[in-house]
Amino acid sequence: MSWRRSRLARAPTDKLEVPFDDIDDDDRRLLGAVGPVLARFAEHLAETHFSLVLADRNGRVVNTFSGADDMRRHLASLSIERGYVLSEAAAGTNGIGTVLEERRPMVVIGEEHYSEPLRHLICAGTPIRNPVTGRLEGVLDLACPRGEWSKLISPALEQLRHDVEGEMAARAPLAQRLIFEQFIARCRETSTAVIGLSDQYMITNAAATDLLAPADQAVIWSALSDDRAGGGVHAITLSSGRTIEVKSQVIRLGRAIGGHLVELAPQAPGNRSRASRRPGRRRPATTVGSILDNVVRADPQRLLILGERGSGKVTLAKQVHQRLNGDQPITLISCDLSLVGAGQLWLEEVATRLQRTEETIVLRHVDVLTAPVAQAVVALLDRGTTGPRVMATASDPLTDGRSGALHEALGEQTVQLPPLRDRRSELATLAAAMLDDIAPGVHVSGRALAALQSYGWPGNLTQLRSVLAQSAKAAGRDVIGLEHLPGEVAGALRGPRALSRIEELEREAIIAALREQRGNKLRAAEALGMSRSTFYRRLRQLGLDPSALLS
């Protein structure tokens, strides 16, 4: 299997050409934590042809500990030295990259190496994990020429791994150790699903692993962030959409909360949620999921979807189509193109599409239609009742005289999508779904999720996706922390207080004025009766980015 993966990755067999990527701060922390243990072990390698290699979770060599100088020089000639990456994709089957792929101890003997320059070596590798978080931290690899191998090497390497992980546990922060100790004690008492949880990581037993995904760490941490007493039962919707009941025990560090010990159980169908709502949070009366269900039940031939830009109107239209007409094509028609010329060519396309019954049409941004074009669209829609399903989206209500007839023609059913700032309880699920598409395997830490939920999101889902893509790239690994978020988003959590209701109303008025004036700050200030200096100051104080409003 490893050779097959190596061939698919097009790793060379006749040479070893691996990329160089200098070690980073995480690698230096790893070396600082385990380096003394490895150095003591390396003393026993003196004057031998054995070499010990420490690599990180990406297969990058962090340090080497060699016995004889000629062995050290030989490994260096093969690029087995600090900064070179011996992943399986780059070097083929080997004692570092293949261990990372298989996530278990392995011995690669001579000809089992994919690359010919390594075939005179025997390499024993074992993964090292953080004993508190369970996270894979790297690999220990012990290499020697084929003629010097001993059956005692593998047991010695496993003992070294045990010593290394023990050193990591001893150096772990106090909060991690307390969570780990209480987690282990509870797991000895029960076979139910148990997790140890902090804002940065989650430890699970086997039963909990079957229920949870990595993204659920942030979901559960956020749901429990106001539970300072513990003992209550909370109903929590996971990133998968499944609802579970959790009972939390708070783990304290003095007066501070270090984490939670949590027991989980799937919620029985029909059970009423006993979750305590978070104080001070306004929850939307209607979720997007319930809006979708209501539309599907009504099965309208004409649907008007209202909502701010970036709030997911087209996504909802596609979901409605999938639920009601999934076997038919869907066509998106931008009304912005009707502004070209007199809109005649655009109207001809709409007329053609309306003659196709086995199709769903989505008219995007119908609120930009001029009065003559809007009247022409109404006339086309009124020609018959046997045409295709037509859905339309608009950022502004179609209430004026110019748009009233259009609203009547399209609004057999009208729904209003809530902006993202009113969907805070759904943010964990939305972020997880977006990250599955943007950067599979990456999830959001508890503190980062709290910041996402505290931010106002003037650009709605479009802005959220952009922020997640930027943050995943900055993180460069499997967890987006608070430090990886853009400053204005992270600042929503770091700020000294939440906005008052009056400030929320002021913020919404400024957003509306900026949108109405197409982002022109001077005209927006004039419309609100503010001086330019006051307007700019309130933008900063309320955390608003005018450019994001129109994205």
Side-chain angles (χ1 to χ4, degrees), residues 376-441:
V377 170
V378 170
L380 291 173
L381 292 171
D382 287 344
R383 283 183 181 177
T385 59
T386 59
R389 188 186 307 275
V390 179
M391 293 182 272
T393 72
S395 299
D396 298 316
L398 305 179
T399 55
D400 58 21
R402 173 181 62 86
S403 306
L406 185 62
H407 191 168
E408 184 176 346
L410 289 169
E412 177 185 336
Q413 183 175 4
T414 300
V415 296
Q416 176 80 46
L417 279 186
L420 186 55
R421 61 183 173 274
D422 289 341
R423 299 175 63 185
R424 300 185 196 277
S425 63
E426 300 175 68
L427 248 165
T429 304
L430 291 169
M434 287 183 181
L435 284 171
D436 278 344
D437 181 47
I438 298 168

Side-chain angles (χ1 to χ4, degrees), residues 35-214:
V37 178
L38 301 185
R40 288 194 297 270
F41 180 88
E43 292 175 1
H44 300 289
L45 303 180
E47 305 305 321
T48 73
H49 285 90
F50 282 85
S51 287
L52 177 65
V53 181
L54 171 66
D56 66 15
R57 68 177 66 91
N58 298 311
R60 176 171 48 195
V61 176
V62 178
N63 208 359
T64 59
F65 304 81
S66 296
D69 287 343
D70 58 343
M71 185 64 175
R72 178 184 56 77
R73 288 192 294 268
H74 178 62
L75 292 183
S77 71
L78 295 174
S79 299
I80 304 177
E81 59 179 344
R82 179 178 294 196
Y84 285 95
V85 181
L86 277 84
S87 64
E88 195 176 72
T93 305
N94 70 88
I96 293 175
T98 304
V99 170
L100 288 171
E101 291 292 333
E102 299 286 342
R103 302 296 176 101
R104 61 184 175 89
M106 298 190 70
V107 178
V108 184
I109 302 173
E111 298 297 322
E112 294 175 354
H113 285 94
Y114 187 79
S115 177
E116 290 181 3
L118 297 176
R119 292 179 185 172
H120 65 290
L121 297 174
I122 296 180
C123 297
T126 186
I128 51 177
R129 296 181 180 276
N130 187 306
V132 177
T133 67
R135 181 183 182 186
L136 180 66
E137 297 289 352
V139 173
L140 292 174
D141 178 70
L142 198 56
C144 70
R146 293 184 63 170
E148 300 201 21
W149 181 255
S150 167
K151 292 182 179 179
L152 297 176
I153 296 302
S154 290
L157 186 61
E158 282 306 297
Q159 181 60 48
L160 177 61
R161 179 195 60 77
H162 181 271
D163 294 343
V164 162
E165 292 182 350
E167 181 71 14
M168 294 172 71
R171 289 171 171 261
L174 178 59
Q176 286 189 8
R177 297 204 303 273
L178 287 174
I179 293 170
F180 181 65
E181 290 167 1
Q182 294 197 31
F183 169 78
I184 292 297
R186 185 58 183 146
C187 287
R188 288 171 179 157
E189 299 170 353
T190 180
S191 60
T192 60
V194 179
I195 66 173
L197 186 72
S198 80
D199 66 333
Q200 294 295 328
Y201 66 86
M202 175 173 66
I203 321 168
T204 63
N205 65 1
T209 301
D210 293 337
L211 290 173
L212 304 177

Side-chain angles (χ1 to χ4, degrees), residues 188-509:
R188 288 171 179 157
E189 299 170 353
T190 180
S191 60
T192 60
V194 179
I195 66 173
L197 186 72
S198 80
D199 66 333
Q200 294 295 328
Y201 66 86
M202 175 173 66
I203 321 168
T204 63
N205 65 1
T209 301
D210 293 337
L211 290 173
L212 304 177
D216 292 324
Q217 177 266 335
V219 177
I220 299 173
W221 176 260
S222 175
L224 298 178
S225 60
D226 286 337
D227 184 0
R228 306 190 65 84
V233 177
H234 304 257
I236 297 176
T237 301
L238 302 176
S239 59
S240 63
R242 184 179 189 180
T243 299
I244 60 170
E245 290 189 343
V246 307
K247 184 177 181 180
S248 167
Q249 173 187 333
V250 175
I251 299 173
R252 297 189 178 278
L253 282 173
R255 294 184 178 180
I257 294 178
H260 296 267
L261 184 67
V262 183
E263 294 186 36
L264 317 173
Q267 190 178 52
N271 275 11
R272 291 180 61 85
S273 169
R274 290 174 286 169
S276 54
R277 292 193 176 184
R278 300 176 68 175
R281 285 281 178 89
R282 291 181 296 123
R283 306 184 81 179
T286 308
T287 66
V288 173
S290 64
I291 291 173
L292 174 61
D293 290 340
N294 289 338
V295 171
V296 171
R297 280 194 295 269
D299 192 10
Q301 279 297 104
R302 302 283 187 268
L303 174 66
L304 177 60
I305 305 172
L306 303 176
E308 294 179 4
R309 283 187 178 270
S311 58
K313 298 184 292 296
V314 172
T315 298
L316 178 65
K318 290 179 178 178
Q319 291 171 333
V320 170
H321 167 76
Q322 185 63 36
R323 294 270 294 270
L324 294 175
N325 305 94
D327 58 340
Q328 296 180 4
I330 181 172
T331 299
L332 306 181
I333 300 177
S334 173
C335 295
D336 293 321
L337 297 177
S338 70
L339 301 177
V340 178
Q344 190 58 43
L345 291 176
W346 182 86
L347 285 169
E348 290 174 3
E349 180 188 0
V350 172
T352 300
R353 294 288 182 182
L354 288 174
Q355 295 174 15
R356 302 177 184 178
T357 58
E358 301 298 317
E359 185 174 6
T360 296
I361 296 176
V362 180
L363 300 175
R364 301 183 63 188
H365 309 146
V366 293
D367 45 330
V368 305
L369 295 177
T370 63
V373 174
Q375 291 171 1
V377 170
V378 170
L380 291 173
L381 292 171
D382 287 344
R383 283 183 181 177
T385 59
T386 59
R389 188 186 307 275
V390 179
M391 293 182 272
T393 72
S395 299
D396 298 316
L398 305 179
T399 55
D400 58 21
R402 173 181 62 86
S403 306
L406 185 62
H407 191 168
E408 184 176 346
L410 289 169
E412 177 185 336
Q413 183 175 4
T414 300
V415 296
Q416 176 80 46
L417 279 186
L420 186 55
R421 61 183 173 274
D422 289 341
R423 299 175 63 185
R424 300 185 196 277
S425 63
E426 300 175 68
L427 248 165
T429 304
L430 291 169
M434 287 183 181
L435 284 171
D436 278 344
D437 181 47
I438 298 168
V442 176
H443 62 279
V444 180
S445 75
R447 294 188 71 205
L449 177 61
L452 296 180
Q453 291 174 324
S454 299
Y455 185 60
W457 299 110
N460 289 296
L461 294 171
T462 303
Q463 186 186 11
L464 174 61
R465 186 178 183 87
S466 174
V467 165
L468 290 174
Q470 177 184 343
S471 301
K473 185 176 181 180
R477 50 186 179 183
D478 53 355
V479 180
I480 295 174
L482 186 64
E483 68 275 15
H484 302 124
L485 297 176
E488 69 273 14
V489 180
L493 181 63
R494 293 175 180 143
R497 60 180 177 84
L499 296 181
S500 68
R501 180 57 182 152
I502 292 176
E503 287 172 322
E504 286 185 358
L505 292 172
E506 180 184 6
R507 191 176 190 278
E508 291 172 5

